[in-house]
Amino acid sequence: MCIRDSPGTTSMGARSSCFTCPVDHYSPDGTCCLSAPTNYFVPAAGSSEPKSCTDLVMDNYTVSIPRNRHGFVIRVIPHVCELYYSYEVTRYEDVSNGYLGGVRISTEAPAVLYDAGPHNFPDSVHVFKVYYTSNVKAVEQYSIVTVTLTNTPIQGVDDYIWVPHPREPTTYRITTFPANDVNLEHDWVWIQSVSAPVALNTTPMTTGVPRVAQWDMTQYASDFVGVDYTGIHPALFVTLPAGFRGPMHIRPITFDQYCAVPNSDCLETNPHSLIRITARTRPPVAVDDYFRVQIGRVEPVDVLANDYDPENDVITI
């Protein structure tokens, strides 16, 4: 049982364990939680006293922002205080790690807009001061803002790609596969390598050519299908043999930045997407025929002369 609680907490009439007073409430002596009076606010749960809206110096005001996020609004004035006074952000001042992002003053509210950079270093914390004045206190006050950049791995989504039916070995450039992946931070996608899923009974082959992988496909026991790729601005260059119909399966191993090994600034896509390539074979197009022949004579007619195949395949009857 809790008879006298510590400041910032209370109990149900000393008949229960102590619990923390919520935001906008405080407990000076541990007896009960009180609401903030007019012109005051309580910035955090478990507070022992309210703070005046005319004295807003707040330490360790922290916020987490995804990298590559532009225009993230950071309000440095408690909303309840804006009901009583008017405020204006006058300037800001970097304290540490300003290269992680840019700060600019909002023109619509007493706030700053944060433009997060593309990198998430092991110590991805940007600290800066935001100065402001109010209509009751012309002297500049400031809050210390600490921004922590976050990095979320890309979530791969499987792709189903159709290509024209090749009559001869043809190389296709495939760039659309990252478009449907879940990329919350709009990171660049870097192809680290490509592989064929083991579950598809394909055998990786060594070619000796850098950054090229080939596989013995089930449909072509004696043919090899080659895949090359570029890292940044990702593109797969897939060489398909003549008569390819598919499906062919490729699993690109991608990261959200260029890196030699994964780290907090370079996360591997999880899960990786599977690319399934199939040749689209369209049926021949038949065109009606009209012939004039003499009665009683046998004459050959070419009923395929005006018909055609979209992939230029040979048409037979």
Side-chain angles (χ1 to χ4, degrees):
M1 305 300 290
C2 184
I3 299 177
R4 174 69 67 168
D5 305 307
S6 59
T9 63
T10 189
S11 63
M12 300 297 293
R15 293 190 298 273
S16 66
S17 300
C18 299
F19 61 88
T20 301
C21 292
V23 176
D24 294 331
H25 293 76
Y26 70 101
S27 177
D29 54 10
T31 56
C32 61
C33 294
L34 305 175
S35 298
T38 302
N39 299 341
Y40 284 79
F41 72 102
V42 180
S47 297
S48 60
E49 60 181 357
K51 302 188 91 173
S52 172
C53 287
T54 60
D55 187 11
L56 294 179
V57 178
M58 295 183 290
D59 294 329
N60 300 322
Y61 180 71
T62 61
V63 60
S64 296
I65 302 177
R67 68 182 188 181
N68 293 321
R69 180 68 60 85
H70 291 266
F72 190 94
V73 179
I74 301 176
R75 303 186 73 93
V76 292
I77 305 298
H79 176 68
V80 66
C81 293
E82 294 185 43
L83 301 177
Y84 306 124
Y85 307 110
S86 60
Y87 299 84
E88 180 183 3
V89 175
T90 56
R91 60 191 177 96
Y92 52 87
E93 178 182 273
D94 279 321
V95 176
S96 66
N97 286 0
Y99 54 83
L100 292 177
V103 184
R104 48 197 169 98
I105 299 174
S106 172
T107 59
E108 300 179 356
V112 294
L113 304 179
Y114 194 87
D115 297 328
H119 294 292
N120 182 274
F121 300 101
D123 184 21
S124 295
V125 178
H126 182 192
V127 182
F128 55 93
K129 295 180 180 179
V130 178
Y131 294 84
Y132 44 83
T133 59
S134 68
N135 60 346
V136 295
K137 197 167 187 178
V139 178
E140 275 191 331
Q141 302 178 77
Y142 70 87
S143 295
I144 299 178
V145 179
T146 301
V147 170
T148 301
L149 294 191
T150 61
N151 186 17
T152 305
I154 298 172
Q155 299 177 39
V157 179
D158 291 348
D159 299 90
Y160 299 87
I161 298 176
W162 295 87
V163 298
H165 180 58
R167 285 183 53 81
E168 56 187 24
T170 306
T171 299
Y172 297 93
R173 182 175 184 266
I174 300 175
T175 60
T176 57
F177 64 92
N180 61 340
D181 295 343
V182 181
N183 188 349
L184 299 178
E185 279 117 27
H186 306 288
D187 289 315
W188 289 105
V189 178
W190 171 263
I191 302 179
Q192 186 81 357
S193 60
V194 288
S195 67
V198 176
L200 295 175
N201 296 321
T202 56
T203 305
M205 304 297 294
T206 301
T207 65
V209 180
R211 299 179 64 174
V212 174
Q214 295 182 334
W215 298 278
D216 181 358
M217 305 305 294
T218 305
Q219 297 85 346
Y220 305 98
S222 60
D223 296 325
F224 296 106
V225 179
V227 179
D228 197 0
Y229 61 93
T230 60
I232 205 69
H233 304 297
L236 292 173
F237 297 89
V238 182
T239 301
L240 301 178
F244 173 84
R245 295 184 183 275
M248 172 188 181
H249 298 84
I250 305 173
R251 191 180 297 281
I253 308 302
T254 59
F255 290 80
D256 60 2
Q257 293 282 350
Y258 167 74
C259 62
V261 293
N263 53 60
S264 62
D265 190 40
C266 180
L267 299 180
E268 186 172 348
T269 299
N270 184 24
H272 288 291
S273 60
L274 177 66
I275 300 175
R276 182 180 187 270
I277 301 176
T278 305
R280 187 188 299 276
T281 302
R282 292 174 290 177
V285 178
V287 180
D288 292 342
D289 301 283
Y290 300 91
F291 299 99
R292 288 179 177 272
V293 296
Q294 293 183 6
I295 298 176
R297 294 187 60 178
V298 177
E299 296 185 13
V301 293
D302 188 356
V303 296
L304 301 180
N306 58 347
D307 301 333
Y308 65 93
D309 184 85
E311 281 88 27
N312 296 321
D313 288 333
V314 177
I315 302 175
T316 59
I317 299 177

